[in-house]
Amino acid sequence: MPLICTRSIGRSLSRPGSWRPRPAWSHPPAASSSSSPCFPAPGFRSRPWTALRSFAVTATACAAAQKLDLPSLDSKWRERWASLAEATSQSNDDITKYILPMFPYPSGYLHLGHLRVYTIADVLARYYALRGHRVLLPMGWDAFGLPAENAAIERGIHPAAWTRSNIANMKDQLALMNASWDWDRELATCDAEFYKHTQKIFLLLHQHGLAYQAEAEVNYDPVDKTVLANEQVDANGCSWRSGAKVEKRKLKQWFLRISEFREALLQDLDVLARDGAWPERVLAMQKNWLGRSVGATIKFPILAYDHDMHAAIEVFTSRPDTLFGVQYLALAATHPVVAKLAERDPELQAFLDTLPGLPPDSKVGYMLPHIRAVNPLAYHPETPDATKQSIPVYVAPYVIGDYGEGAVMGVPAHDVRDHAFWKTHRYGEPVRFVLAASEDESTTAMANEPFVDHGVMTEHSGPYRGKSSKEAGEMLIAMLEEAGLAKRLEKWRLRDWLISRQRYWGTPIPVVHCGSCGAVPVPDDQLPVLLPEVNEHWAGRKTGNPLETLDEWVNTDCPRCGGPAKRDTDTMDTFVDSSWYYMRFIDPHNRNAPFSGDKARSMLPVDLYIGGVEHAILHLLYARFIYKFLMTSSLVPGQQDGSSAVHEPFRRLITQGMVHGRTYIDPATGKFLRPDQVDLADPSSPKVAATGAPATVTYEKMSKSKHNGVDPTGVIRQHGADATRAHMLFQAPVSEVLDWDGDKIVGVTRWLGRVYDLVVGLGQAEAGHEATPRGYLEETAKKLEEMAGEELERWDADVAVWRAVQNTIASVTASYEKVHTLNTVVSDLMALANAIQDREAALSPVIKQEAISALVRMMAPVAPAFAEECWSLLSPARPGEDKASMFRGKGRAEFPVLDGTLELELLQPRRQTCAVQVNGKLRCVVEIPKPRGGMDKEELREWIVGEILKTHEGKTRLGPGGSADVSKAKKVVVVKEGKVVNFVV
């Protein structure tokens, strides 16, 4: 077990009989004009047990200073916290700050990404606890889902067994990180007591018409054998889980009507943007996914050759100003016109069959040979001839079937995708620019680049030439509306949330299907609808949904008519569970309802929500929707009127960056090297063990294939949780990628060792003092004119250190509360520790004691066990007392606050730096006293020159025999009250 030895090693502990404690009732001697500033002046606050306290500190410090074993401190204080947890349990009514990291999927092990988000959460929770808040920091498990079911099939075990085993393992790992979890509120979404309430929420949505079943074209994952929501398909048309290319199928599925809340979901983003409450990147992603577009549907008449076709194709556009520039139409593969033509065109059908294997942004296309379209502006007599010509119609995979009308107008000059498509299929034909940035330009874009902004209509826009594009667009729509060829419309990208999954390991949908009554909700007194045991299915490693073949479970009675009925065999998407779990944490033991309405009003929303940006769309969008619904439902009486209150689940969102690991690559093969394939004899120059060639070192997302994963448990056991936490925070700002370098953690352990030395050193000092630093400094300043030598040296040290303490309090407090700069918390505290240590010998007991106390309290959220140990030495229990934790209970510590001394003149440095120039060139920088007020220019000049020449640098470099003898200077220029002096010689 590694030890961090301090400077105190080697100090011998005196024999018990040699202790001579000051009597508990004694007081420090009264201060006099000649007394040392070590002691407070008369009238200062003091307690009769001050000296006994000092004795206790000294005795404990001498014993504790022999070594610092951080892993042992973790164990010691975790045990202590556990014993205090029950004694100091808090009621729901006490909660004033709700801090929550996104709960994990129980994959079986924690990685450094987990450690980072949970460290951030716990640091903030402990900070607010020290600020006097009663903090809620719960933990649970996102336990349903396809990965567990797939793992169960692979291993031949029940997914519940696999999940429970993983939870136990990860919970053991979480216990090692010194976090302050409220385990009394622990939940797992696969527990019947949780998913019972998920079913209740589904039925409440169904009751309000927000959960419905419909046949629709859906995304089907052929590997996981289930449908996916649009949000679960990536830009390449692949499943977010399996990576398989999704297929389009027509199925009857369950949906949640999230579209009913789209206006609120969009408008309330403005609330979340205030004061940087949510990251701009996340807000932009949410806004883009909602995808509100204001525009119009425009009819393009069709010329069909020997085909019975629609009279027109309707196209939605938000840029009617580009209508003169339309050079083709593009249809989605699912457009009715395409489907009808494919019945008689085998080549078209063959093309459609290839589309599932193509990315959505593919530039391939199929020009429909039997139809052409006509621009509706062609019927206006002043329209230019180029716009009057008929245009081709293509089938293109970049057109989305369920957005707009499944058709787009291709404007190559003013849309990036249209431009790329046109250049692929009509490369030799010119692009028609109908907009420019200004009247005197044909276009502001290069000939091979589209101009996508609003601007001024060009000569290709006929009678609208010279008008602003926005004005022209409005005029065009008005004209086409009058002719029955256009209709103003608002479109949204957001679609209703498809929640049906054809898998076992999820919340059963609480609906039975009756031949007479249709879909009937399961009554409340029959909830939960439990997942049946299907052990043979797992033992046989069978794929597919076993619920579909379990007749005994499927066949039931209709709750409404009593006739034969069948249970719904789909389960819910796991995002339904995570859309409301944070509400269950406030009332986890409520058997009758998902949560209490009173508790929801008093404890929600979550104050700080912390997690990865990868959840910026799916989870956060769904959580916002469900929260808005639930907070205006019957579960929260008095809110049903949809009052003016904004219902958002997370006041502030913090998205932490990923943790990347160091990878080694063989430059000859490009393959990632295992640790045993790397020669690290010289860590600064790693080599390929097999060849001796220098290995390429990069930092990349941790994965097994790259051999760059790091087990956080191993790091904690080696270095201690506190050093690991501090190192993780120190390496990068919260929102940025962290390149993990475990070799550098030794710097943090050295810092902790230095702080420990300071704490132990206090035990060797004179009696502790109850004077406030401000009071001490104000009283001591009255005698400043009488001080000399060591007294002035002490004053300068006291002022410098206390100024550093106050500046650090201000900086660290802002960093904790802004939370994006937690790395600067560690760097600021390191700087403060150095400032105290540099002046330790000269400090008065008052300043030294309070500075170290402030340092320990400020670092406590980052390194809680270490801080507890230091605090126990700084503030030992009085005789008969049971020492409590600094984070909870009657004896808890308080986070330091500014005492106003920064605003006082007395805290300004008594000395200042002076840059000395000779003939305009800097020769040296010296430290001199600050000039007293009231001196005229001549007197000030002579005084400063004298003080410069008193310094070591002044004597050796600026006096006779030095590189420049300033005593012979023709002129002396004093700038900024002596901060700069220029000698002209």
Side-chain angles (χ1 to χ4, degrees), residues 108 160-170:
W162 169 252
T163 300
R164 295 295 179 197
S165 174
N166 290 345
I167 288 175
N169 184 43
M170 293 175 73

Side-chain angles (χ1 to χ4, degrees), residues 350-394:
F351 172 78
L352 296 177
D353 292 340
T354 68
L355 294 186
L358 298 175
D361 60 350
S362 170
K363 305 302 183 296
V364 302
Y366 181 90
M367 189 176 74
L368 298 174
H370 303 293
I371 64 172
R372 290 182 69 86
V374 177
N375 193 314
L377 296 179
Y379 301 101
H380 193 284
E382 296 184 49
T383 294
D385 290 341
T387 303
K388 289 182 178 181
Q389 296 176 6
S390 65
I391 56 178
V393 181
Y394 287 87

Side-chain angles (χ1 to χ4, degrees), residues 525-571:
D525 61 1
Q526 294 181 24
L527 297 179
V529 176
L530 295 169
L531 285 170
E533 292 295 333
V534 286
N535 292 322
E536 291 183 2
H537 180 84
W538 311 118
R541 301 187 178 186
K542 299 177 183 177
T543 59
N545 182 5
L547 298 180
E548 296 174 352
T549 59
L550 204 63
D551 292 342
E552 194 173 311
W553 183 81
V554 171
N555 295 319
T556 186
D557 296 330
C558 174
R560 186 171 295 164
C561 70
K566 293 183 179 294
R567 294 191 186 279
D568 199 301
T569 58
D570 283 350
T571 55

Side-chain angles (χ1 to χ4, degrees), residues 583-778:
M583 306 183 81
R584 183 63 177 173
F585 275 134
I586 67 171
D587 198 10
H589 308 298
N590 191 329
R591 298 182 63 86
N592 300 317
F595 51 83
S596 156
D598 290 339
K599 290 176 181 176
R601 281 191 293 266
S602 65
M603 297 172 65
L604 292 172
V606 175
D607 292 293
L608 289 170
Y609 196 43
I610 306 145
V613 74
E614 64 270 18
H615 298 293
I617 295 176
L618 289 86
H619 164 57
L620 292 176
L621 188 66
Y622 298 152
R624 294 179 63 218
F625 157 54
I626 292 296
Y627 185 78
K628 288 178 182 297
F629 167 70
L630 292 177
M631 290 299 287
T632 54
S633 73
S634 57
L635 292 175
V636 189
Q639 300 288 317
Q640 293 89 334
D641 59 353
S643 61
S644 59
V646 174
H647 298 293
E648 285 292 334
F650 314 117
R651 279 199 179 96
R652 185 163 194 176
L653 175 69
I654 304 165
T655 53
Q656 89 287 350
M658 298 182 69
V659 181
H660 287 182
R662 184 188 294 161
T663 63
Y664 299 98
I665 301 171
D666 185 341
T669 63
K671 292 183 177 180
F672 294 102
L673 299 172
R674 299 190 308 271
D676 62 342
Q677 296 174 318
V678 184
D679 178 2
L680 292 174
D682 180 1
S684 64
S685 182
K687 294 179 173 59
V688 181
T691 65
T696 302
V697 180
T698 63
Y699 283 89
E700 301 190 38
K701 181 179 178 181
M702 292 186 179
S703 70
K704 292 180 181 178
S705 63
K706 296 172 184 174
H707 313 294
N708 65 342
V710 176
D711 178 10
T713 305
V715 178
I716 289 173
R717 285 177 174 154
Q718 180 181 358
H719 299 285
D722 287 353
T724 304
R725 288 160 59 114
H727 175 65
M728 178 159 280
L729 293 177
F730 182 53
Q731 287 298 292
V734 166
S735 59
E736 295 182 10
V737 169
L738 188 159
D739 290 336
W740 177 260
D741 187 349
D743 296 339
K744 294 180 179 178
I745 200 169
V746 66
V748 171
T749 58
R750 287 179 186 143
W751 167 56
L752 296 176
R754 290 196 301 272
V755 174
Y756 191 69
D757 279 343
L758 291 172
V759 172
V760 171
L762 267 184
Q764 308 298 323
E766 297 183 46
H769 298 280
E770 299 305 314
T772 65
R774 177 167 179 159
Y776 160 76
L777 291 169
E778 288 177 336

Side-chain angles (χ1 to χ4, degrees), residues 275-584:
D275 301 320
W278 278 40
E280 290 183 8
R281 178 185 176 190
V282 174
L283 295 172
M285 293 170 76
Q286 291 261 312
K287 186 174 182 179
N288 290 339
W289 193 260
L290 291 167
R292 179 176 179 266
S293 299
V294 177
T297 55
I298 298 175
K299 293 181 179 179
F300 283 75
I302 293 298
L303 301 175
Y305 303 96
D306 194 29
H307 281 73
D308 181 18
M309 271 299 115
H310 294 276
I313 292 176
E314 288 193 347
V315 175
F316 174 79
T317 181
S318 59
R319 292 293 302 272
D321 53 323
T322 65
L323 198 53
F324 283 101
V326 177
Q327 294 184 264
Y328 69 94
L329 293 187
L331 307 181
T334 56
H335 194 282
V337 167
V338 176
K340 189 165 187 178
L341 289 173
E343 294 174 0
R344 298 174 56 181
D345 186 344
E347 290 187 15
L348 171 58
Q349 186 58 55
F351 172 78
L352 296 177
D353 292 340
T354 68
L355 294 186
L358 298 175
D361 60 350
S362 170
K363 305 302 183 296
V364 302
Y366 181 90
M367 189 176 74
L368 298 174
H370 303 293
I371 64 172
R372 290 182 69 86
V374 177
N375 193 314
L377 296 179
Y379 301 101
H380 193 284
E382 296 184 49
T383 294
D385 290 341
T387 303
K388 289 182 178 181
Q389 296 176 6
S390 65
I391 56 178
V393 181
Y394 287 87
V395 181
Y398 79 86
V399 182
I400 301 173
D402 61 350
Y403 179 73
E405 306 302 321
V408 300
M409 57 187 210
V411 189
H414 304 293
D415 183 272
V416 173
R417 290 185 309 170
D418 295 350
H419 185 271
F421 186 85
W422 181 259
K423 286 298 182 182
T424 300
H425 295 272
R426 319 283 285 215
Y427 185 80
E429 297 185 28
V431 171
R432 187 163 66 247
F433 286 89
V434 298
L435 302 178
S438 59
E439 290 187 51
D440 60 349
E441 302 178 81
S442 60
T443 179
T444 56
M446 299 292 290
N448 61 344
E449 294 292 334
F451 175 65
V452 298
D453 298 324
H454 283 282
V456 177
M457 308 296 282
T458 71
E459 60 182 348
H460 296 295
S461 300
Y464 297 91
R465 178 180 183 178
K467 293 185 180 297
S468 76
S469 62
K470 290 184 178 180
E471 179 187 3
E474 287 295 315
M475 295 173 68
L476 288 169
I477 292 302
M479 180 184 69
L480 292 174
E481 271 189 310
E482 189 174 346
L485 293 171
K487 181 180 180 181
R488 296 178 190 274
L489 203 62
E490 179 181 272
K491 287 286 184 179
W492 294 76
R493 179 184 181 189
L494 180 70
R495 293 292 175 265
D496 284 344
W497 176 13
L498 190 159
I499 66 162
S500 293
R501 297 294 178 268
Q502 291 71 50
R503 296 301 291 256
Y504 170 87
W505 193 234
T507 299
I509 291 177
V511 170
V512 298
H513 299 275
C514 174
S516 301
C517 307
V520 180
V522 173
D524 188 78
D525 61 1
Q526 294 181 24
L527 297 179
V529 176
L530 295 169
L531 285 170
E533 292 295 333
V534 286
N535 292 322
E536 291 183 2
H537 180 84
W538 311 118
R541 301 187 178 186
K542 299 177 183 177
T543 59
N545 182 5
L547 298 180
E548 296 174 352
T549 59
L550 204 63
D551 292 342
E552 194 173 311
W553 183 81
V554 171
N555 295 319
T556 186
D557 296 330
C558 174
R560 186 171 295 164
C561 70
K566 293 183 179 294
R567 294 191 186 279
D568 199 301
T569 58
D570 283 350
T571 55
M572 297 185 209
D573 180 11
T574 56
F575 281 102
V576 179
D577 303 317
S578 60
S579 71
W580 78 280
Y581 79 104
Y582 53 92
M583 306 183 81
R584 183 63 177 173

Side-chain angles (χ1 to χ4, degrees), residues 789-801:
E790 290 185 4
E791 289 182 321
L792 280 176
E793 183 182 347
R794 173 165 289 179
W795 170 261
D796 290 339
D798 284 344
V799 167
V801 167

Side-chain angles (χ1 to χ4, degrees), residues 724-870:
T724 304
R725 288 160 59 114
H727 175 65
M728 178 159 280
L729 293 177
F730 182 53
Q731 287 298 292
V734 166
S735 59
E736 295 182 10
V737 169
L738 188 159
D739 290 336
W740 177 260
D741 187 349
D743 296 339
K744 294 180 179 178
I745 200 169
V746 66
V748 171
T749 58
R750 287 179 186 143
W751 167 56
L752 296 176
R754 290 196 301 272
V755 174
Y756 191 69
D757 279 343
L758 291 172
V759 172
V760 171
L762 267 184
Q764 308 298 323
E766 297 183 46
H769 298 280
E770 299 305 314
T772 65
R774 177 167 179 159
Y776 160 76
L777 291 169
E778 288 177 336
E779 289 297 322
T780 307
K782 296 174 182 178
K783 304 186 290 292
L784 195 56
E785 296 294 331
E786 304 170 17
M787 293 181 187
E790 290 185 4
E791 289 182 321
L792 280 176
E793 183 182 347
R794 173 165 289 179
W795 170 261
D796 290 339
D798 284 344
V799 167
V801 167
W802 197 246
R803 185 172 59 251
V805 169
Q806 294 297 294
N807 283 326
T808 304
I809 291 172
S811 175
V812 165
T813 299
S815 295
Y816 276 129
E817 295 188 353
K818 290 180 180 178
V819 303
H820 293 290
T821 53
L822 291 183
N823 59 312
T824 64
V825 168
V826 180
S827 60
D828 285 345
L829 294 177
M830 286 178 171
L832 178 58
N834 290 339
I836 298 172
Q837 193 175 44
D838 290 345
R839 298 171 176 83
E840 181 183 6
L843 290 175
S844 67
V846 175
I847 298 300
K848 182 178 180 182
Q849 176 179 306
E850 294 302 321
I852 294 173
S853 171
L855 172 61
V856 169
R857 284 178 284 150
M858 283 189 280
M859 68 188 298
V862 174
F866 173 81
E868 287 273 32
E869 184 70 13
C870 292

